[in-house]
Amino acid sequence: MQLNDLFLRDFRNYEDLALSFDPGVNLIVGDNAQGKTNLLEAISYLGSGKSFRAFKTGEMVRFGADHADIRGNVYSQEREQELRFVLFAGSRPRQLWRNGSKKKTTGEISGVLQTVLFCPEDLMVLKTGASARRRLGDSALCQLRPNYEAALAEYGRVLEQKSRILKDRYENPALLEILPEYNARLCQVGALLISYRARFYDGLEKAAKTYHDHFSGGAEEFSLTYRTVSTVTDPFAPVSELQQRLLEHLDAHYRAELESGQCLTGPHKDDFSVSLSGIDLKAYGSQGQTRTAAISLKLAQRELMGRESGETPVLLLDDVLSELDPGRQDFVLNQISQGQVFITCCESGRFTKLGKTIQIQAGKSI
Ligand code: ATP
Ligand code: MG
């Protein structure tokens, strides 16, 4: 799949922009704060209806404007397609179209333009806290499995309600009577999450291992371990069994949850770890090892998505290449030889030989 043209009106710092892209490499060059990441955000939003940086949709509307328009021509599923979003500065819901016909949900545009974003924070994801790893895994899984996304949203809702019960129970002790109902629902949906994750991380490990072997010349053995609630000894077990295991764990922590007023156990605490030849990266990995493993994971994510849809997703590399030494840059560039890629950097340097270069200055292409 590829994005051929992009039109922006009042999106972030772009008042009016029209760009055509190369089917291969597109280098977006410009000084700091000129709009490079904004451009990647627009591309990613066009495909998913989600922003990787905005908390509120209105943030993406140019200061002072009342709505933003993002439109793009895409070649995917063996035909030309057009996607369009209109975002409003106020509370009015956004609107979307696929090939000129209005759609209600992003589910109706899924698969037209899939993107995988890779940014400098991802390079250190194996060293930082669990929540960044969960986000990485969750966002990849949501793109792969719409049903997972629905389950994750439901889990989040129930978890929030349960948190409120735990906090408000002093003022309103009767709330405790409905707690078991919420726990049961959490275990039901949580079991589903674990089941999806177990399969996803298994596939991710296999694909990442192959990249890592190429990269390190097979010198280190890459392995990824998915970690969930301790009573779940086999995350591949049937969902009903997972549900049972989750309930057991919740029951064992009932007092602790009441005392702390927090939801202490469940798949919202899940994590994964990567080790090289049996040595845990989080504790012992060098910076180079950590980066190499992270690159392998990202390329693996793109491969899994591509396998699913039969088309290579568009890769968005935000400032990543300039963070890497020439050996790693070349590895990444060689591994992305198929498919379309957008690379942002401040200095085009050694990359100008590739594809098309687009210079961005203060929200304009120059
Ligand atoms: P860097 O190299 O530092 O990463 P960049 O080129 O990626 O820079 P962006 O993050 O794309 O920069 O753009 C940042 C600019 O966009 C900032 O100057 C910011 O003020 C501006 N900006 C962000 N949102 C809006 C908005 N809604 N309206 C107008 N300008 C905005
Ligand atoms: Mg940027």
Side-chain angles (χ1 to χ4, degrees):
M1 62 180 54
Q2 74 202 43
L3 177 64
N4 291 326
D5 314 284
L6 180 72
F7 306 93
L8 299 180
R9 183 170 281 268
D10 292 331
F11 180 88
R12 295 279 190 188
N13 65 335
Y14 292 99
E15 195 175 336
D16 197 6
L17 179 84
L19 285 176
S20 296
F21 302 118
D22 190 274
V25 178
N26 295 276
L27 202 59
I28 318 285
V29 188
D31 289 340
N32 294 130
Q34 301 306 306
K36 302 182 299 295
T37 304
N38 292 345
L39 191 63
L40 297 193
E41 184 185 30
I43 296 172
S44 155
Y45 194 93
L46 188 66
S48 64
K50 283 202 202 87
S51 163
F52 54 74
R53 55 170 15 190
F55 289 103
K56 289 200 211 98
T57 307
E59 279 171 38
M60 289 177 277
V61 179
R62 197 168 65 87
F63 301 145
D66 67 39
H67 69 275
D69 201 325
I70 317 171
R71 195 158 56 82
N73 295 321
V74 181
Y75 186 82
S76 84
Q77 300 160 331
E78 296 173 348
R79 63 199 164 110
E80 301 276 344
Q81 305 206 49
E82 190 201 60
L83 293 175
R84 181 179 173 210
F85 277 88
V86 171
L87 318 176
F88 296 93
S91 56
R92 196 168 152 196
R94 58 127 189 257
Q95 300 178 339
L96 65 141
W97 291 262
R98 175 182 184 172
N99 303 325
S101 82
K102 202 159 179 183
K103 302 291 174 198
K104 282 209 174 66
T105 66
T106 50
E108 294 168 274
I109 62 158
S110 81
V112 179
L113 175 63
Q114 288 186 309
T115 61
V116 173
L117 173 76
F118 194 4
C119 60
E121 296 89 85
D122 293 331
L123 286 171
M124 291 316 284
V125 76
L126 296 169
K127 276 278 189 199
T128 50
S131 63
R133 279 185 294 281
R134 261 196 308 276
R135 263 202 309 280
L136 184 129
D138 278 343
S139 83
L141 240 172
C142 284
Q143 280 182 292
L144 274 172
R145 302 266 175 264
N147 289 342
Y148 175 82
E149 188 171 15
L152 187 66
E154 167 73 357
Y155 187 87
R157 265 192 303 277
V158 183
L159 193 67
E160 208 183 299
Q161 287 157 345
K162 179 179 162 183
S163 299
R164 220 170 309 135
I165 293 175
L166 289 174
K167 287 201 177 71
D168 295 349
R169 69 176 181 106
Y170 292 105
E171 286 158 35
N172 185 359
L175 280 176
L176 281 187
E177 282 167 35
I178 55 170
L179 194 57
E181 222 176 279
Y182 283 86
N183 278 342
R185 183 71 185 138
L186 270 184
C187 293
Q188 197 180 16
V189 187
L192 213 55
L193 297 185
I194 292 174
S195 188
Y196 273 112
R197 286 175 183 171
R199 283 157 184 79
F200 166 69
Y201 284 119
D202 188 50
L204 192 69
E205 180 191 38
K206 291 195 177 92
K209 209 196 249 306
T210 310
Y211 284 111
H212 196 273
D213 280 353
H214 279 283
F215 209 156
S216 68
E220 295 163 322
E221 199 186 338
F222 179 102
S223 77
L224 183 153
T225 312
Y226 164 50
R227 298 181 195 288
T228 185
V229 175
S230 63
T231 47
V232 176
T233 45
D234 174 17
F236 292 95
V239 173
S240 56
E241 195 184 315
L242 295 174
Q243 196 175 335
Q244 210 43 49
R245 298 283 95 81
L246 286 180
L247 264 178
E248 281 166 20
H249 203 261
L250 260 181
D251 284 345
H253 291 79
Y254 182 73
R255 285 262 130 239
E257 287 200 327
L258 284 188
E259 275 160 24
S260 67
Q262 287 176 347
C263 303
L264 298 175
T265 126
H268 54 286
K269 302 263 168 162
D270 282 1
D271 195 1
F272 69 88
S273 63
V274 169
S275 65
L276 297 180
S277 306
I279 296 168
D280 181 36
L281 270 186
K282 188 168 162 56
Y284 302 107
S286 74
Q287 201 189 55
Q289 284 176 317
T290 312
R291 288 172 168 230
T292 305
I295 294 169
S296 306
L297 280 179
K298 271 286 154 178
L299 294 172
Q301 179 194 339
R302 186 187 196 219
E303 185 175 316
L304 292 190
M305 282 170 64
R307 247 187 252 160
E308 199 65 33
S309 67
E311 295 188 77
T312 310
V314 173
L315 190 62
L316 308 174
L317 302 180
D318 193 11
D319 273 339
V320 153
L321 279 195
S322 45
E323 292 277 314
L324 301 176
D325 56 60
R328 288 192 174 81
Q329 286 175 356
D330 288 341
F331 179 78
V332 173
L333 290 171
N334 286 332
Q335 296 302 323
I336 56 175
S337 52
Q338 1 86 304
Q340 191 178 32
V341 54
F342 291 82
I343 301 173
T344 70
C345 50
C346 291
E347 303 251 341
S348 54
R350 58 197 287 267
F351 311 125
T352 34
K353 301 185 276 322
L354 310 159
K356 178 169 183 171
T357 301
I358 296 164
Q359 286 270 353
I360 297 288
Q361 193 177 63
K364 291 195 168 58
S365 146
I366 53 169

